Amino acid sequence: MRYKELIDKMTLEEKAGLTSGLDFWHTKPVERLGIPSMLLSDGPHGLRKQERQSDHLGLNKSVPATCYPTAVSLANSWDADMIERLGRALGLEAASEGISVLLGPGCNIKRNPLCGRNFEYFSEDPFLSGKAAAALIRGVQSNGISACVKHFAANSQELRRMSNDSVVDERTLREIYLPSFETAVKEGGVKCVMTSYNRLNGEYTNENTHLLQDILYGEWGYDGMVVTDWGGNNDRVKALIAGDNLEMPYSGGQTDGYIAQAVRDGVISEELLDERIDKILDMVFETRKAFDYKHYDKAEHHRLAAKFAEETAVLLKNNGILPLRSANSVAVIGDFAKTPRYQGAGSSLVNSTKVDNALDALKAQGLKVLGFETGFDRSGKSSTRLCAKACELAMRAETVLLFLGLDEGSEAEGIDRENMRLPENQLSLLNALAAVNKKIVVVLSCGGAVEMPWQDKAAAVVHGFLGGQAGATAMARLLSGKANFSGKLSETVPLRYEDMPSAPYFPGREKTAEYREGLYVGYRYFDTAQKPVLYPFGHGLSYTSFEYSELKIDGDTVSFAVKNTGSTAGAEVAQLYVAPKTNGAFRPAQELKGFVRLELEPGEKKRGEIKLNDRSFAIWSTEHNDWVVEAGRYDILIGASSRDIRLRGTVTKDGVTENPYADKLFEPYYTADIKSVSDASFEALLQRPVPPHNWDRNAAFEFNDCVSQGEYLKGGLGRTIYNAVRLIRAALMLCGKKTAANNFMYIMDVPYRNIARMTDFLNDEQVYALLKVVNREKGGWKAFAAATKEKKAQGK
């Protein structure tokens, strides 16, 4: 231990106190020993440092900061160098504000496009997600502070995220949901890991010894700090044993008492507690060295944000209408053109230093903007007046730039999207405009994929995702041809939501979320099942063209040439997929194992080089409890997307030959026919019985049960609380206050324990007594009154 001498001077109570927060964002100091408080702060694409009233949902304003492109956008760049530069800028801002730990990036896998927090995550692919996360971490931590990778692990939905149990087989966990975190640890050198709210295979992640001790600290050799998500603590003593260092936020000091008592009772040793707080002290003292000399130029960081955003937008379709010609008149239509949607909502909400809008940015690029019309009501209400005015403008213009997307309340922490469709009023507007002008360019602003049955009505489609505060300037430069598109999709765009492999199982609505689709996430499913998609993983157009040639495989080094065959400078992201032909274990048809971004002038040719290793060919073996390579042939595929393969080669590998999946129960996983996996097949994959999915309607409410479970009560306080929250949310939705309504959805899915753990209003004993009232037990109110009296007597 680095700080043993200092720790030995601390009392047991001081040691226990260090393992939880002082308030919402700070750790506790020990002033008599010179141990200062440490500040942790959101967020993954911009600071959310709250100086006054603190909250977890972005309700109260934070200090002004640069809002950079969100993770969903950054991954589309496939540019680790750019992402690292962005991380350096983000980390500089954090250090200048005295922040020790910046809570990001998030690198959960996009199992399903409806997850409300997907805008904070990089990709459906663990290799791409891990490389992007590691780059951002290196950049942030180059400033002497710590990044914090989250949410560890298998946190793929917002619905009931604080109590839901992710049921995942070990192989899928290892191959899909953990590798991005492993890369963040091993290549990013991340100093802090945040556990997720959910259970994983029956245990809360911050109490999960397999996840923390066996894998994170054991196999990966992690040497940093582990922190709970805010309010994500269930059993503080069990969490400490598993490897958790810090509970956030402040929980009234009660859980500190649990730890101190556990030491006195011999449940945990004081030496173990010392080891846990040694990591906290290391973070406190090491990060403070970064604060003295840091400052940044807000105007320069805004300029950087615009430059970064140029690499993140994806040109999905273009019949030649783009780039726009300065002599042609343009009608700018759509509310998002004037009031941009450029970031998500919830704990990542940034109070931006400046926000560009597309209307002004297009004019600044010298385009002939004929006029602007809102076209639709942002809240989704139908308006024939707005539509008619937009059509009148469109009839007078040569080209229509139509800005569509999802509003701020549609994608946010605490809720999942209801569907993949754009609002009906926006689609009605598009149909009306298409009747009067065929030259329509649709520009999308949203945090993920959407269904596009309407794309035939557009001459070009651009997905801007969430490009940050300067995203509009970047978009204007791209549309006008001042910059070239180079973004490639980091997630598949299906023809319709029902095609998604996890659609039958998402979200897990009651006790569990069953990952029955196994390995088949995103393109792994579509390419194995040979299902058509609208736009494949890795797709993205340019204003120029590229030619691939001269593939060479030398051991584990793969190289090839890419030539710019067009007349415009551009960048191409060449992708390497490994396609196993081993006839052993079931596997996806192909998997991304490398990529390289090459910037090329017209006529220029460069060689790209990608290094492979044993993991590039390996699968996780539950029999060996290790990664193994199967003996046989592997095709090496180089392409512009997962469905646009330009070069092919072959390698042969020695390895294992046994097949543990010969039983017919595994047949759905060989054919990727995973939309209706039987209990027997899923149990064979899990190697254990499938746990019950539904709540027991007759069971008593417990400490970790949610407010929303009150729906199944026939009366009493629990049903009253549920009804009150539901009615307030419904009223807010009717008033068009979607963001406020979402906050009540957050309350709906909060476990009763968090009344104590995230407020100082009640303590654990009062919550347990309150549950007696909810369960309509005799003497419930009397027990609650006694617990309240005891709390007052203790002065807590």
Side-chain angles (χ1 to χ4, degrees):
M1 295 193 302
R2 291 188 65 183
Y3 298 93
K4 185 178 187 308
E5 186 176 340
L6 181 60
I7 292 170
D8 286 344
K9 297 176 182 177
M10 298 171 66
T11 66
L12 177 59
E13 285 69 26
E14 286 171 336
K15 292 177 181 180
L18 273 179
T19 67
S20 71
L22 171 69
D23 53 28
F24 210 83
W25 298 115
H26 295 84
T27 60
K28 294 186 184 77
V30 183
E31 294 177 357
R32 73 177 185 87
L33 295 176
I35 300 172
S37 181
M38 174 175 66
L39 173 61
L40 301 87
S41 179
D42 294 318
H45 51 264
L47 306 187
R48 193 175 75 91
K49 179 187 176 185
Q50 293 179 305
E51 290 190 319
R52 294 181 178 85
Q53 243 182 326
S54 299
D55 68 86
H56 190 55
L57 294 172
L59 302 177
N60 298 297
K61 272 197 171 184
S62 52
V63 299
T66 309
C67 180
Y68 296 100
T70 63
V72 64
S73 297
L74 293 180
N76 295 330
S77 74
W78 299 60
D79 187 348
D81 290 339
M82 182 275 281
I83 296 172
E84 187 167 340
R85 293 196 304 274
L86 186 151
R88 285 200 293 269
L90 179 56
L92 176 60
E93 294 191 31
S96 74
E97 291 287 352
I99 293 167
S100 290
V101 181
L102 186 69
L103 302 175
C107 61
N108 293 91
I109 295 302
K110 297 181 183 182
R111 177 188 176 218
N112 186 284
L114 299 188
C115 175
R117 217 165 173 180
N118 272 355
F119 64 87
E120 283 190 56
Y121 303 141
F122 292 108
S123 178
E124 66 187 33
D125 181 81
F127 184 87
L128 176 57
S129 179
K131 293 295 183 182
L136 190 70
I137 289 162
R138 288 193 298 269
V140 168
Q141 295 187 169
S142 68
N143 292 276
I145 67 165
S146 175
C148 179
V149 69
K150 59 185 186 181
H151 304 90
F152 189 57
N155 175 204
S156 303
Q157 66 181 61
E158 291 298 286
L159 183 68
R160 311 205 211 303
R161 60 181 176 158
M162 290 188 174
S163 60
N164 195 267
D165 182 11
S166 295
V167 182
V168 193
D169 70 279
E170 186 72 10
R171 184 178 166 201
T172 297
L173 184 68
R174 297 290 193 142
E175 295 187 25
I176 302 296
Y177 296 100
L178 293 187
S180 55
F181 291 96
E182 182 180 4
T183 305
V185 169
K186 292 182 175 179
E187 296 183 18
V190 72
K191 299 175 183 176
C192 187
V193 173
M194 180 192 291
T195 52
S196 52
Y197 285 125
N198 55 286
R199 293 179 172 98
L200 174 59
N201 293 326
E203 287 189 292
Y204 281 104
T205 58
N206 75 315
E207 302 169 8
N208 195 309
T209 55
H210 179 54
L211 186 65
L212 298 182
Q213 286 297 324
D214 298 345
I215 299 174
L216 179 64
Y217 286 111
E219 294 174 25
W220 299 352
Y222 179 63
D223 192 36
M225 186 178 85
V226 173
V227 62
T228 67
D229 202 342
W230 267 233
N233 167 49
N234 169 48
D235 185 326
R236 187 72 194 98
V237 173
K238 190 175 179 182
L240 193 85
I241 293 169
D244 186 76
N245 301 93
L246 178 63
E247 174 198 3
M248 289 298 288
Y250 173 66
S251 58
Q254 189 164 27
T255 59
D256 301 345
Y258 296 158
I259 289 175
Q261 192 59 48
V263 172
R264 295 188 192 99
D265 294 343
V267 176
I268 57 175
S269 68
E270 192 160 359
E271 289 75 21
L272 178 64
L273 177 58
D274 292 351
E275 289 175 13
R276 297 291 183 260
I277 64 174
D278 188 66
K279 301 293 185 188
I280 298 172
L281 292 175
D282 192 43
M283 185 72 77
V284 169
F285 289 116
E286 286 299 309
T287 55
R288 286 187 70 80
K289 299 174 184 177
F291 302 153
D292 294 339
Y293 57 91
K294 295 291 194 297
H295 66 275
Y296 73 100
D297 183 327
K298 291 181 180 179
E300 173 62 13
H301 277 215
H302 183 78
R303 187 193 68 79
L304 285 173
K307 185 64 178 174
F308 296 148
E310 286 181 10
E311 292 189 26
T312 67
V314 182
L315 180 59
L316 297 175
K317 172 184 176 180
N318 184 21
N319 70 358
I321 194 171
L322 294 177
L324 298 171
R325 293 159 181 80
S326 58
N328 293 352
S329 61
V330 176
V332 180
I333 298 173
D335 190 34
F336 297 109
K338 195 169 185 179
T339 307
R341 168 84 200 289
Y342 63 94
Q343 64 172 320
S347 63
S348 69
L349 189 68
V350 179
N351 178 18
S352 304
T353 57
K354 178 183 178 182
V355 180
D356 296 342
N357 70 72
L359 181 60
D360 292 340
L362 290 164
K363 293 176 181 177
Q365 295 303 320
L367 292 175
K368 187 179 178 182
V369 177
L370 190 64
F372 165 77
E373 288 295 340
T374 302
F376 58 85
D377 187 301
R378 198 183 191 94
S379 69
K381 295 177 183 177
S382 177
S383 173
T384 55
R385 180 183 63 85
L386 293 177
C387 183
K389 291 179 71 176
C391 288
E392 190 277 329
L393 175 62
M395 284 189 285
R396 295 188 286 113
E398 293 174 81
T399 305
V400 173
L401 278 180
L402 179 57
F403 289 78
L404 305 177
L406 301 177
D407 67 15
E408 292 77 1
S410 298
E411 301 168 294
E413 181 175 2
I415 63 158
D416 295 312
R417 286 161 61 186
E418 295 178 359
N419 54 61
M420 282 187 70
R421 300 187 298 273
L422 291 178
E424 286 300 322
N425 65 337
Q426 295 185 34
L427 299 181
S428 296
L429 173 64
L430 173 58
N431 289 331
L433 292 172
V436 299
N437 192 321
K438 302 299 181 185
K439 295 183 177 180
I440 299 176
V441 177
V442 172
V443 180
L444 294 170
S445 298
C446 47
V450 293
E451 292 176 352
M452 302 182 202
W454 43 261
Q455 70 151 357
D456 290 344
K457 292 182 170 64
V461 179
V462 177
H463 203 324
F465 291 88
L466 300 177
Q469 67 180 51
T473 291
M475 183 60 69
R477 283 178 49 77
L478 290 165
L479 294 173
S480 65
K482 303 289 179 59
N484 196 352
F485 286 96
S486 61
K488 301 262 191 172
L489 288 173
S490 58
E491 59 187 297
T492 304
V493 179
L495 290 167
R496 57 179 191 158
Y497 172 70
E498 289 76 15
D499 293 338
M500 294 301 300
S502 58
Y505 316 119
F506 185 92
R509 295 194 177 277
E510 297 198 11
K511 291 178 70 173
T512 64
E514 297 175 349
Y515 288 52
R516 292 192 181 222
E517 71 280 2
L519 302 172
Y520 296 105
V521 177
Y523 74 90
R524 284 171 167 77
Y525 165 71
F526 289 107
D527 292 352
T528 305
Q530 298 182 349
K531 296 286 186 182
V533 299
L534 185 60
Y535 294 112
F537 177 80
H539 168 77
L541 302 178
S542 170
Y543 291 145
T544 190
S545 55
F546 302 96
E547 178 184 87
Y548 290 60
S549 63
E550 303 171 26
L551 175 64
K552 181 181 179 181
I553 303 175
D554 184 6
D556 284 337
T557 301
V558 179
S559 63
F560 49 89
V562 178
K563 181 179 180 180
N564 183 342
T565 56
S567 58
T568 303
E572 173 71 338
V573 176
Q575 303 150 42
L576 187 155
Y577 297 87
V578 172
K581 306 296 180 183
T582 51
N583 297 317
F586 63 85
R587 303 177 72 161
Q590 59 187 24
E591 296 183 282
L592 181 74
K593 297 299 178 180
F595 58 89
V596 61
R597 187 177 188 273
L598 300 171
E599 296 185 0
L600 299 163
E601 294 296 319
E604 184 180 11
K605 182 165 75 171
K606 289 182 180 177
R607 288 197 70 77
E609 184 176 284
I610 297 172
K611 298 279 189 180
L612 301 177
N613 54 39
D614 284 348
R615 277 288 291 272
S616 305
F617 304 93
I619 62 172
W620 181 261
S621 167
T622 54
E623 285 71 26
H624 295 84
N625 194 35
D626 202 355
W627 295 95
V628 299
V629 175
E630 291 187 298
R633 191 188 100 211
Y634 295 83
D635 288 350
I636 305 298
L637 313 177
I638 308 296
S641 79
S642 72
R643 295 268 173 113
D644 184 8
I645 302 303
R646 307 290 183 88
L647 302 172
R648 296 174 181 269
T650 300
V651 298
T652 301
K653 292 286 181 180
D654 296 327
V656 301
T657 56
E658 70 265 22
N659 179 12
Y661 302 106
D663 194 294
K664 285 186 177 180
L665 287 172
F666 294 106
E667 188 174 342
Y669 296 104
Y670 276 97
T671 61
D673 183 15
I674 43 74
K675 292 292 192 70
S676 56
V677 173
S678 69
D679 284 353
S681 289
F682 191 40
E683 286 184 351
L685 191 67
L686 289 172
Q687 300 180 346
R688 64 181 186 278
V690 178
H693 170 68
N694 293 327
W695 295 312
D696 182 349
R697 301 318 197 244
N698 297 315
F701 265 50
E702 298 178 346
F703 197 50
N704 287 311
D705 287 336
C706 299
V707 170
S708 57
Q709 290 174 240
E711 176 183 0
Y712 302 106
L713 295 175
K714 292 184 171 63
L717 179 64
R719 179 71 189 212
T720 300
I721 293 171
Y722 166 77
N723 284 340
V725 175
R726 183 177 62 85
L727 287 171
I728 293 170
R729 182 174 187 268
L732 289 168
M733 289 293 286
L734 283 174
C735 296
K737 297 182 178 180
K738 191 181 290 186
T739 300
N742 290 344
N743 294 331
F744 278 86
M745 191 66 209
Y746 175 88
I747 294 170
M748 189 78 80
D749 286 340
V750 163
Y752 275 86
R753 73 160 190 262
N754 275 21
I755 300 174
R757 298 297 163 79
M758 290 195 76
T759 73
D760 199 21
F761 179 59
L762 301 180
N763 62 20
D764 285 3
E765 285 72 21
Q766 287 174 296
V767 172
Y768 280 114
L770 187 67
L771 285 167
K772 289 185 178 182
V773 178
V774 169
N775 291 319
R776 306 171 90 172
E777 294 180 24
K778 187 176 180 180
W781 282 117
K782 186 176 180 180
F784 182 75
T788 302
K789 183 178 180 180
E790 178 65 21
K791 183 188 177 189
K792 288 181 179 178
Q794 294 174 355
K796 295 180 180 178

